[in-house]
Amino acid sequence: MSRYARYIESRGVFSRVCAEVEGEDFSLSKRLENFLSAFSGQDKPLFKLCQASSYTDRLIHLLRVHKRLEGSCHARAIAVTSNGIESLAAQFFGVEPEPDTRAKLMKSLGQAYRKAKHSEDDVPIDLDAEIRLVFRKLVRSLPSAFKEQAQHLAEKPASGQYLHFLFQENVTDFYNPMGEISKAEAIASIEDNDALLEFFGGNPVTRIADCINEINPDKATIPLRQVHEAAVFAGITAAQVGKINVLALEGNPGIGKTTAVMKFLKQQTQGFLFCISVREL
């Protein structure tokens, strides 16, 4: 068991699909069903669990049709592969819809298996066709800039051969966080309004400008990332003792929000409680 646990932890995130359901509906989405064929190798636990769920669901249906099963029953689908054992247990009541969420999930997995195209003994030609089908669906879902660059890959060597490619996209109207700007330009861009005046208890331009000069005292220019750092330093420094102070940092990944806060806290000689909430839009 410990060996199997280590193996599970070492597997890629896209080959491990788990579900814990209780009191809520759960089923495979149509998009995931469309890609089920990508998991159709003989040693793929997800596909084998779908296969076992289909057999279990159909067996229960057959028993009820022939009057060999009445009332509720407990069933378990077990998938045994070279990667270990996966299972799913559920209680079937013989009504539609089934009250047990796991029974609904088992039916959904079984339906996905029956709708999927199955290759006979992993025939290379069939497998190659499935790979190309998944590839075309992935290309259609890419952003337009990447989609145009990916089209030519369909003419590349067949599966099993090495293939190297590089996608590039030019992004406009964005600044490089490590790009240098003049200190004068950075200070001139600082807003001056009543809310900031109240928060800082003084001129916000002066407070942030002082931090800019402290962080980079010997140059006329400063990286944009350090301008952000100076604004964070000035904001935290202006926090009032004995009150709840909320500092919201908004911006693209990589501009130094968390790094600036951590750098400020490392300079403190007194203890502190640091709570961070991250929200991505």
Side-chain angles (χ1 to χ4, degrees):
M1 291 299 294
S2 61
R3 174 181 173 275
Y4 176 56
R6 289 194 300 271
Y7 182 83
I8 287 294
E9 293 301 326
S10 67
R11 278 165 34 182
V13 64
F14 293 109
S15 64
R16 185 179 184 185
V17 179
C18 300
E20 287 292 337
V21 292
E22 182 177 357
E24 298 290 342
D25 289 338
F26 184 92
S27 62
L28 285 180
S29 69
K30 294 299 181 183
R31 294 189 64 185
L32 185 56
E33 287 182 5
N34 291 337
F35 287 102
L36 187 61
S37 56
F39 301 93
S40 59
Q42 292 184 346
D43 60 344
K44 297 294 186 180
L46 172 61
F47 188 84
K48 289 300 183 183
L49 186 60
C50 291
Q51 184 180 18
S53 296
S54 177
Y55 292 168
T56 305
D57 178 36
R58 292 295 87 190
L59 175 60
I60 293 175
H61 174 73
L62 185 62
L63 291 175
R64 293 193 188 280
V65 168
H66 290 277
K67 308 298 182 181
R68 297 299 182 93
L69 176 63
E70 296 181 359
S72 64
C73 72
H74 290 273
R76 179 180 293 273
I78 302 178
V80 182
T81 71
S82 59
N83 292 335
I85 299 176
E86 306 285 352
S87 71
L88 175 63
Q91 183 175 9
F92 288 79
F93 291 89
V95 297
E96 291 295 341
E98 288 284 354
D100 187 349
T101 307
R102 289 177 175 82
K104 296 178 183 177
L105 174 58
M106 192 178 295
K107 282 179 170 290
S108 179
L109 293 176
Q111 291 172 0
Y113 171 77
R114 293 189 292 274
K115 291 178 181 178
K117 179 182 177 182
H118 309 294
S119 299
E120 293 294 337
D121 298 324
D122 285 343
V123 177
I125 296 178
D126 288 350
L127 182 59
D128 184 67
E130 292 295 335
I131 292 174
R132 291 186 178 277
L133 176 62
V134 172
F135 171 77
R136 287 194 293 270
K137 291 182 178 179
L138 290 175
V139 169
R140 287 197 294 268
S141 65
L142 289 173
S144 57
F146 290 163
K147 187 184 302 183
E148 295 175 1
Q149 300 173 60
Q151 294 293 344
H152 73 282
L153 295 178
E155 309 301 326
K156 293 296 181 179
S159 59
Q161 300 184 25
Y162 287 104
L163 180 64
H164 175 76
F165 55 90
L166 175 66
F167 287 163
Q168 292 182 335
E169 181 181 14
N170 294 325
V171 181
T172 60
D173 299 326
F174 279 88
Y175 286 98
N176 181 351
M178 295 308 298
E180 296 272 345
I181 64 173
S182 69
K183 287 184 178 178
E185 182 182 0
I187 294 172
S189 66
I190 301 172
E191 294 184 11
D192 184 3
N193 53 49
D194 294 340
L196 289 176
L197 183 66
E198 179 181 358
F199 177 81
F200 283 101
N203 190 339
V205 177
T206 302
R207 299 292 182 87
I208 298 177
D210 290 343
C211 288
I212 289 176
N213 290 317
E214 290 177 6
I215 291 174
N216 198 342
D218 302 323
K219 295 179 62 177
T221 61
I222 183 172
L224 184 59
R225 186 181 175 94
Q226 289 189 344
V227 176
H228 301 150
E229 180 182 307
V232 173
F233 278 28
I236 300 178
T237 303
Q240 300 180 38
V241 178
K243 293 185 177 181
I244 296 177
N245 300 268
V246 179
L247 181 64
L249 307 181
E250 179 182 2
N252 293 313
I255 65 173
K257 302 183 293 295
T258 304
T259 301
V261 175
M262 296 301 296
K263 184 176 179 180
F264 179 88
L265 295 177
K266 288 179 180 179
Q267 298 175 1
Q268 307 309 304
T269 57
Q270 298 180 350
F272 54 83
L273 174 63
F274 175 43
C275 298
I276 182 171
S277 175
V278 180
R279 182 184 181 187
E280 296 184 1
L281 300 177

